[in-house]
Amino acid sequence: MSRRTVILGAPGAGKGTQAQRVCESLGMEHLSTGDLLRSAVKAGTPAGTEAKGFMDAGKLVPDEVVFGVLFERLETGNVAGSYMLDGFPRNRAQAEELDRRLAARSEALDQVVEVNVPDERIVGRITGRRICKGCGRNYHVEFVPPTKEGVCDDCDGELYRRADDEEAVVIDRLAVYHEQTAPLIEYYSGRGLLVTVDGDQPVDAVTGAVLGALSGNVAESN
Ligand code: AP5
């Protein structure tokens, strides 16, 4: 059965880490608007050129640009079956547009998982993040270190730090999250779609909690 899900949480809460693991485990597709936008920036597409300044500053990219990259993928990119949206929606207008687009296909969201991590943990998580240039695998210098410093365990690729992972930008991203994205918790909770998991525990434990939430075996929920 197809399942349409969203993973929600502050920057650095572990959305990408968990979406990748859970999608691998359940055979779902992981669709990250941050990754789609970074690919567009790298490829120098018009959407990427427009998005870059907003991303570097830690601001939200205009909705129309995000709709372009995501819905092109979702509606024409052969995404069949189950998926998990990561980094989308990020404000009320995006949530409503998602509902409209799904309804036009006689579909609806099945579940929203919020990964909850206290703000005081966020800066350390993000400034310690390293990503593989080759395969995109995500590490953390302290919590999820590679076997050999600066080198990916999977493909020997070089690890780098995202441009928007500087502390000052992270603080702005967190403010944007609280102002524009966190209200979606109530939006989805009110519709009975939201499950909240404690993201302030080791990676494997969070994965277990997210998998439990998706299977209806919920330890902590709203
Ligand atoms: P995006 O790429 O979506 O970034 P984000 O939401 O800020 O989230 P992150 O990718 O920073 O963090 P994450 O929650 O995925 O954490 P991760 O798993 O990496 O967006 C970037 C930009 O693109 C935005 O600022 C905006 O400009 C634009 N954008 C994207 N979508 C948009 C939209 N819909 N509308 C408008 N603009 C949009 O983990 C973080 C670190 O912690 C890693 O190092 C990881 O190894 C480590 N870690 C993970 N879990 C744990 C754990 N349990 N314990 C210890 N360490 C952990």
Side-chain angles (χ1 to χ4, degrees), residues 10-18 33-35 37-38 54-55 58-61 66 86-88 90 94 125-126 128-130 138-140 143-144 162 164-165 173 199 201-203 206:
K15 302 180 297 296
T17 301
Q18 296 304 331
T33 44
D35 288 347
L37 289 166
R38 278 184 289 278
F54 294 97
M55 295 176 80
K59 306 292 181 213
L60 291 190
V61 172
V66 181
D86 160 15
F88 186 94
R90 253 184 154 98
Q94 293 186 6
R125 281 224 188 154
I126 296 192
R129 171 167 50 195
R130 299 293 181 271
N138 194 327
Y139 294 88
H140 188 282
F143 308 126
V144 191
R162 259 168 54 179
D164 60 345
D165 281 354
R173 284 165 58 197
Q201 44 180 345
V203 174
V206 182

